[in-house]
Amino acid sequence: MKYIFITGGVVSSLGKGLTAASLGALLEQRGLRVCLQKFDPYLNVDPGTMSPFQHGEVYVLADGAETDLDLGHYERFTHAKLSRKNSLTSGQIYESVIQKERRGDYLGKTVQVIPHVTNEIKERIASSANGDADVIITEIGGTTGDIEGLPFLEAMRQFVLDIGKENVVFIHVTLVPFLKSSGELKTKPSQQSVARLREIGIQPDILVCRSEKPLDLDLRQKLSLFCNVPVKAVIEEQDVEFSIYELPLVLNKEGLDELVVEKLGLKVGKADMADWEGVVRRLKYPKNRVNIAVVGKYMELQDAYKSVYESLTHAGIANDCGVNVFRVDAEDIEKKGVDEFLQGKDGILVPGGFGNRGIEGKILAAQYAREKKIPYFGICLGMQVAVIEFARHVAQLGKANSLEFDAETPHPVINLMEQQKLVCNKGATMRLGAQHCDILPNSLAFNAYNKDSITERHRHRYEFNNSYQKSFSSLGMRISGVNPESNLVEMIELNDHPWFVGVQFHPEFQSKPQSAHPLFAAFIAAAMK
Ligand code: GLN
């Protein structure tokens, strides 16, 4: 097994996750099996309890792990099979060390960061791959110099001693900022962050330099000299023009995968980039265009609905269609009315969410889509608001609501799930991960999937209240997906509408650029019509 560690310097949000995912894609194109994992230094056990303002999207794996959104990049760019083992936080490390201490596993000893915490981290480095990979790529969250990141870096330094230098590559992703006033790219911040790494005993093998401008030879030589890496190991990663899916091509041209396989002594052929070139070509030159409104409440955040935006892009690729996304704040709809934001749109998507804020705006969006016969795709909360809207305006149950938003509603059309009623702790207690769904023949869902049974990933506490199923069916709502074990409604559709689909699960966690999720692809196809 070979190991690649990716650290970040100077600032956060440098796109380490995308760099890791792209490198994973490149190594796969060279015929290697890769595994990717993320180590996050924060003390939360997982990001499931964090707000999108703090953390962006919470990405859910098939086994129900609530993880960092970088795992979404890993799954979209590679074929790596990820589980909760691939997402490690300081919270998990300390939880495990303290449990062992209480059990008496360290009896007689003083429990310390070195070696107990670092040992725990080292054990996790190799265990995530289950022996199923040739190369493990480990991304360390945060920025060099963060106090909470130190145990991870120390563990990595020790790991090299255990495993041998020839089996490890350190990649440092750094920022080379452009100063407008002097018209220059600046290397000092990178020099300093590499110096911090070297203080700990880690010498990066490769520098991946994020910059707005190309790095000329002089600058590469300077970085090489001060950061102690060969000139050819100074890799330029300029901001991509169209899409993140250009990144594997950019890094391949810069020779990143070649450097990695050379350093690791892996005898493999060149990467075949035809697949990725095809993806980028279709993105750049679409034959059609549609305008899709996404109605949510974190519209100013790039990352809050990351997988939804990516899945729309994939669906565009599948349909040879450019997708213009209009981010609509549900609270703006509440204030200014729906027309201003949704008129003329080819499709409306309401993604998942929690809490009261913006709910009435989302309900208005679902009503607009139903009445104006605009393709509607409701995901999780987006399905629940469509049900509330239908109850209020078609079934004439005026005060219908979800118990999440109105505990006193006379018509709780969205109910707290039975198994949730006894739940007290908030962490990792939702209905999570992959669950089965049987699909109704001749439904929109069936046409999309072309299957009568599927599995999709979940993250919710509330559900469609089955006591309304009969009356809603008689009024034109179709239940097109049901969980066979619990009878829980997984999908709804409307009879008298070109394409109106609500799903209780999160299809956005199973879409890839080369294989768009069937429901997203069908939604965009409907929007094109
Ligand atoms: N808040 C809703 C629930 O808990 C929807 C969750 C979601 O959209 N992920 O059921």
Side-chain angles (χ1 to χ4, degrees):
M1 191 97 77
K2 304 286 184 181
Y3 301 87
I4 300 170
F5 294 112
I6 301 190
T7 54
V10 184
V11 290
S12 59
S13 305
L14 270 183
K16 284 195 303 283
L18 278 171
T19 304
S22 300
L23 178 57
L26 291 174
L27 296 179
E28 279 195 347
Q29 295 305 330
R30 284 175 166 259
L32 294 163
R33 295 167 311 154
V34 298
C35 175
L36 290 106
Q37 62 187 341
K38 175 97 192 259
F39 288 1
D40 273 306
Y42 50 70
L43 288 174
N44 303 58
V45 172
D46 63 44
T49 53
M50 278 189 240
S51 137
F53 283 120
Q54 291 285 311
H55 193 269
E57 161 187 277
V58 174
Y59 189 81
V60 182
L61 298 177
D63 68 357
E66 295 172 277
T67 72
D68 188 83
L69 58 82
D70 280 323
L71 278 86
H73 294 312
Y74 305 165
E75 286 204 328
R76 286 188 281 270
F77 278 72
T78 73
H79 298 87
K81 300 250 172 311
L82 305 185
S83 75
R84 62 182 66 254
K85 286 189 183 163
N86 301 71
S87 171
L88 183 69
T89 65
S90 292
Q92 289 170 37
I93 295 288
Y94 282 103
E95 194 181 38
S96 162
V97 168
I98 288 168
Q99 272 170 11
K100 286 182 180 168
E101 186 276 333
R102 289 291 80 183
R103 229 174 25 226
D105 292 11
Y106 310 118
L107 222 48
K109 303 229 171 63
T110 306
V111 182
Q112 293 177 299
V113 172
I114 306 173
H116 301 99
V117 168
T118 48
N119 280 350
E120 195 78 27
I121 296 171
K122 283 197 285 180
E123 275 163 33
R124 286 290 294 267
I125 293 172
S127 70
S128 65
N130 286 335
D132 249 2
D134 306 310
V135 181
I136 300 187
I137 302 175
T138 305
E139 176 194 348
I140 320 297
T143 309
T144 329
D146 295 346
I147 289 176
E148 55 193 11
L150 283 175
F152 288 94
L153 297 176
E154 168 61 16
M156 251 120 259
R157 183 192 67 78
Q158 296 174 13
F159 190 79
V160 181
L161 275 185
D162 302 344
I163 210 93
K165 258 192 188 148
E166 65 285 7
N167 296 313
V168 182
V169 172
F170 279 103
I171 300 178
H172 191 57
V173 182
T174 180
L175 178 72
V176 181
F178 177 72
L179 277 199
K180 263 203 202 120
S181 52
S182 63
E184 277 178 309
L185 287 168
K186 291 296 191 188
T187 63
K188 188 75 78 194
S190 300
Q191 294 176 32
Q192 286 181 345
S193 80
V194 170
R196 295 301 285 271
L197 272 180
R198 290 164 70 191
E199 256 169 42
I200 303 162
I202 293 175
Q203 167 62 54
D205 301 293
I206 298 171
L207 281 189
V208 171
C209 305
R210 291 296 313 275
S211 73
E212 293 171 46
K213 307 258 180 219
L215 311 181
D216 62 21
L217 184 61
D218 258 10
L219 202 110
R220 289 179 194 241
Q221 281 169 338
K222 195 168 171 190
L223 280 164
S224 153
L225 185 68
F226 282 97
C227 301
N228 197 29
V229 298
V231 179
K232 70 169 185 180
V234 177
I235 298 284
E236 168 188 310
E237 189 184 313
Q238 264 197 73
D239 301 343
V240 282
E241 209 181 324
F242 281 96
S243 141
I244 54 173
Y245 301 114
E246 290 173 71
L247 205 50
L249 298 171
V250 169
L251 293 175
N252 175 254
K253 269 206 197 99
E254 278 285 300
L256 177 63
D257 50 315
E258 188 62 35
L259 281 167
V260 166
V261 297
E262 243 174 52
K263 165 80 182 32
L264 294 175
L266 291 164
K267 301 266 171 293
V268 285
K270 296 262 176 264
D272 174 2
M273 299 310 293
D275 236 27
W276 288 97
E277 278 160 5
V279 163
V280 172
R281 200 175 324 113
R282 293 187 75 145
L283 268 173
K284 279 192 182 168
Y285 310 108
K287 296 205 175 79
N288 298 285
R289 243 175 214 286
V290 288
N291 295 327
I292 302 295
V294 175
V295 182
K297 60 177 179 181
Y298 301 101
M299 307 327 284
E300 70 283 21
L301 300 181
Q302 213 35 31
D303 287 344
Y305 305 108
K306 187 99 202 158
S307 296
V308 168
Y309 297 141
E310 291 310 317
S311 302
L312 286 170
T313 301
H314 307 159
I317 295 172
N319 284 291
D320 238 323
C321 178
V323 179
N324 301 334
V325 172
F326 293 78
R327 302 181 184 187
V328 180
D329 193 315
E331 285 180 296
D332 286 341
I333 292 186
E334 290 170 6
K335 284 180 215 139
K336 299 183 190 159
V338 80
D339 279 326
E340 181 178 334
F341 303 100
L342 300 184
Q343 205 164 40
K345 299 296 179 290
D346 304 306
I348 297 170
L349 187 153
V350 177
F354 298 84
N356 242 324
R357 189 164 65 84
I359 279 301
E360 293 303 321
K362 293 178 187 180
I363 293 174
L364 285 170
Q367 181 177 14
Y368 191 83
R370 180 178 57 78
E371 291 178 350
K372 304 268 186 218
K373 306 224 185 289
I374 301 169
Y376 177 86
F377 195 11
I379 295 178
C380 206
L381 181 65
M383 178 194 105
Q384 298 176 357
V385 295
V387 170
I388 297 168
E389 190 282 314
F390 187 91
R392 289 186 190 172
H393 306 119
V394 180
Q396 307 298 331
L397 305 174
K399 291 211 166 80
N401 214 330
S402 161
L403 285 179
E404 181 179 1
F405 314 124
D406 179 3
E408 309 292 314
T409 171
H411 310 293
V413 292
I414 304 295
N415 218 349
L416 187 63
M417 279 184 282
E418 206 47 50
Q419 71 263 37
Q420 287 291 325
K421 290 188 178 150
L422 296 172
V423 167
C424 302
N425 285 350
K426 288 273 186 265
T429 54
M430 286 189 241
R431 177 174 182 247
L432 288 166
Q435 316 275 348
H436 294 289
C437 171
D438 287 345
I439 302 181
L440 182 77
N442 294 324
S443 58
L444 293 168
F446 185 85
N447 291 345
Y449 284 101
N450 224 344
K451 276 189 200 159
D452 51 19
S453 166
I454 51 154
T455 54
E456 291 282 2
R457 301 182 191 175
H458 294 68
R459 183 170 187 254
H460 65 123
R461 295 188 201 279
Y462 293 83
E463 62 170 330
F464 180 96
N465 184 341
N466 266 326
S467 46
Y468 292 89
Q469 216 189 100
K470 239 194 176 151
S471 67
F472 287 6
S473 294
S474 69
L475 292 166
M477 180 179 280
R478 246 184 344 258
I479 306 300
S480 56
V482 174
N483 176 267
E485 290 98 34
S486 65
N487 221 16
L488 196 111
V489 169
E490 297 282 11
M491 291 196 256
I492 59 125
E493 300 178 6
L494 295 185
N495 288 338
D496 189 20
H497 193 286
W499 207 91
F500 193 108
V501 176
V503 296
Q504 187 55 76
F505 48 79
H506 290 274
E508 71 271 26
F509 298 143
Q510 293 204 82
S511 187
K512 289 181 183 235
Q514 297 90 341
S515 54
H517 188 283
L519 286 176
F520 275 92
F523 171 58
I524 293 302
M528 285 163 70
K529 282 190 197 144

